[in-house]
Amino acid sequence: MITGGNRLNGEVTISGAKNAALPILCAALLAETPLHLSSIPALKDVVSTIKLLEQMGVKATCNADKVSLDASEIHTKEAPYEMVKTMRASILVLGPLLARFGHARVSLPGGCAIGSRPVDLHIKGLQAMGAEIHIEHGYIEATTAHLPNKRLQGARYYMDLVTVTGTENLMMAAALAQGTTVLENAAKEPEVVDMAECLNKMGAKITGAGTDIITIEGVDRLSGAVHNVVCDRIEAGTYMVAAAMTGGEVKLLNVRANLLDAVIEKLRDAGATVTSDTDTITVKSDGKLKAVNIRTAPHPAFPTDMQAQFMALNTIATGVSKVTETIFENRFMHVQEMQRLGADIGIDGNTALVKGVAYLDGATVMATDLRASASLVLAGLVARGDTVIERIYHLDRGYENLEEKFTKLGASVKRIKGLTG
Ligand code: UD1
């Protein structure tokens, strides 16, 4: 429950990125000796990934934000439906299992609240490296038994669409393939770069991560390493929007402004003052915001994972804005909930037309996916009276200590037990 109206002031420390932590945890499967990670956020998706790895035989040791993973002995090369259905990122075990052990059985992820989200490009990329893949009984069955030395073979592969986890899966697979792989139209997201850095510390030979052509020279074996996960730019962006909407002043610690260029630009357009140095960003605003048009696209353009939060900002800004979602179909589920708070939003295909209103009114709303939930928190922070958000397990998948962090900044946020969330 959020009681709106408080200005946010103070400092907040940004956690390690969920979207870097999940693939890098899966990369532990490639290593014959332990991988030691730090800045691993305490999130439900992280716990689920570690459980998935443990049921394969990985030995995990967790201590605060540090996780060590020993994949020297793996007894199951399978990711069961029960685990994959709760978290699509489980598909990230496919590449490493196949590359190191020559076979893998991974459940298809199935439907997802924010659109169909297929994994065809992950599969086609592995096939380009010679893997034989069948879909049977809802499972992806992959093998390299017929290939020279039973190993994946380096290949040139052009990805039809920019896919983040697809790029990561193929990068991991190619790291242990025989020969050189070139991934074209690769995702340039900072989390892809972070994973490439970690893989290189493990002995991989990857160049070009952060550009749209990544070259991976396969090696025979990978070992463990020590790696600190990059900061969560989406968590950071969410607190930045919160500061702007509430007319406060918030300093973010442990963050890199250069990962947030598109978001910072839009916040400035909206009228907030944003300053930064090496590892901090400060956002200051008088709460009088101008509506800003948003169009999501792959990095370095505006991230789809910040679309819902900017929609919340636009609901109370002066003017009319267009918010266009180009990455996922059906990623406007927050719109109906925001309308319950009094927002004026119309949808036409993949574009939402938002007319700023003078104020939002607290109400009970339902979280539908991770970033939609975050946008409802932001709306609740400025709404009149109480906003109750149900099904907050979505938030626990992606925001570490959300209510503690917001409370420390002066918000009135309480977790109420006994409701559906
Ligand atoms: C990742 C992020 C997610 C973010 C998204 C886009 C993780 C764990 N999750 O998700 O938070 O919202 O990037 O920045 O890092 N597609 C296909 N075929 C494929 C793969 C993707 O058609 O084989 C499509 C998807 O349906 C979608 C688009 O490509 O329309 C981009 O998806 P993708 O980048 O793969 O998203 P994820 O990696 O799942």
Side-chain angles (χ1 to χ4, degrees):
M1 183 187 339
I2 301 170
T3 307
N6 297 4
R7 287 189 165 181
L8 299 193
N9 277 296
E11 294 183 348
V12 59
T13 302
I14 299 307
S15 302
K18 168 180 89 77
N19 285 354
L22 301 182
I24 290 174
L25 287 168
C26 295
L29 286 170
L30 292 164
E32 293 173 14
T33 54
L35 176 63
H36 304 287
L37 303 171
S38 55
S39 281
I40 296 288
L43 300 171
K44 214 145 89 190
D45 276 6
V46 165
V47 173
S48 306
T49 305
I50 293 173
K51 260 196 208 146
L52 175 66
L53 297 175
E54 280 179 329
Q55 65 87 37
M56 293 174 186
V58 173
K59 289 184 196 70
T61 326
C62 307
N63 179 10
D65 72 340
K66 295 187 175 53
V67 177
S68 294
L69 298 162
D70 178 354
S72 50
E73 282 169 46
I74 298 294
H75 47 71
T76 317
K77 287 100 194 173
E78 176 171 324
Y81 179 59
E82 299 70 50
M83 309 203 89
V84 178
K85 75 174 178 197
T86 58
M87 197 189 45
R88 266 184 56 85
S90 315
I91 188 74
L92 285 162
V93 299
L94 178 62
L97 285 177
L98 187 61
R100 179 160 164 220
F101 303 104
H103 68 105
R105 188 169 186 265
V106 177
S107 169
L108 279 170
C112 169
I114 62 172
S116 61
R117 301 181 84 172
V119 290
D120 55 319
L121 299 173
H122 301 234
I123 293 174
K124 280 189 199 151
L126 293 172
Q127 284 170 331
M129 288 185 230
E132 202 174 290
I133 300 185
H134 300 285
I135 311 285
E136 267 171 23
H137 310 296
Y139 276 78
I140 304 167
E141 308 258 6
T143 177
T144 59
H146 56 292
L147 293 172
N149 302 319
K150 299 185 178 171
R151 285 177 64 188
L152 289 171
Q153 304 292 305
R156 200 174 184 92
Y157 181 61
Y158 173 84
M159 276 168 280
D160 235 9
L161 271 173
V162 177
T163 158
V164 177
T165 49
T167 301
E168 291 162 347
N169 227 343
L170 298 179
M171 211 160 68
M172 287 189 278
L176 278 184
Q178 220 167 27
T180 301
T181 299
V182 179
L183 300 176
E184 293 180 319
N185 199 25
K188 297 185 284 235
E189 269 65 3
E191 294 75 21
V192 172
V193 177
D194 198 43
M195 160 174 256
E197 280 171 13
C198 179
L199 290 173
N200 282 342
K201 288 180 195 166
M202 291 162 66
K205 293 188 175 159
I206 303 174
T207 52
T211 74
D212 52 15
I213 299 184
I214 302 179
T215 305
I216 306 124
E217 211 184 299
V219 297
D220 291 342
R221 44 177 36 96
L222 292 169
S223 55
V226 178
H227 185 72
N228 185 51
V229 169
V230 68
C231 63
D232 196 317
R233 65 197 164 98
I234 306 300
E235 186 198 25
T238 304
Y239 285 99
M240 288 161 71
V241 175
M245 286 175 71
T246 61
E249 181 169 350
V250 172
K251 183 174 187 181
L252 283 69
L253 312 178
N254 182 38
V255 71
R256 278 167 47 194
N258 64 336
L259 307 184
L260 280 148
D261 287 339
V263 167
I264 290 173
E265 194 65 27
K266 287 291 171 188
L267 275 176
R268 287 185 177 141
D269 288 350
T273 306
V274 185
T275 51
S276 63
D277 58 31
T278 18
D279 58 358
T280 74
I281 301 177
T282 302
V283 179
K284 193 176 168 185
S285 143
D286 59 7
K288 293 192 187 85
L289 300 172
K290 292 189 288 273
V292 284
N293 291 335
I294 298 290
R295 185 181 181 85
T296 65
H299 193 78
F302 190 91
T304 173
D305 285 349
M306 284 301 299
Q307 178 254 104
Q309 296 89 320
F310 269 76
M311 180 99 77
L313 180 151
N314 278 332
T315 63
I316 52 143
T318 302
V320 179
S321 57
K322 272 192 195 168
V323 177
T324 305
E325 172 60 54
T326 76
I327 308 283
F328 293 114
E329 54 190 91
N330 200 19
R331 204 176 197 182
F332 281 147
M333 266 117 40
H334 41 286
V335 168
Q336 279 189 347
E337 304 302 313
M338 287 183 189
Q339 284 166 339
R340 290 181 47 74
L341 300 172
D344 183 348
I345 309 172
I347 297 180
D348 181 12
N350 68 346
T351 297
L353 195 68
V354 189
K355 293 183 186 148
V357 294
Y359 58 88
L360 297 176
D361 253 332
T364 298
V365 290
M366 200 191 285
T368 48
D369 70 58
L370 174 53
R371 306 306 168 185
S373 320
S375 72
L376 295 174
V377 171
L378 298 179
L381 289 174
V382 295
R384 290 182 174 179
D386 294 339
T387 297
V388 174
I389 305 175
E390 297 187 344
R391 296 195 184 165
I392 53 167
Y393 52 81
H394 289 292
L395 281 171
D396 293 331
R397 288 188 42 218
Y399 288 88
E400 187 174 44
N401 299 332
L402 177 110
E403 65 266 38
E404 284 88 345
K405 289 188 184 185
F406 271 121
T407 303
K408 201 174 147 237
L409 291 173
S412 169
V413 183
K414 275 189 297 210
R415 186 177 286 252
I416 311 171
K417 291 205 166 55
L419 290 175
T420 52

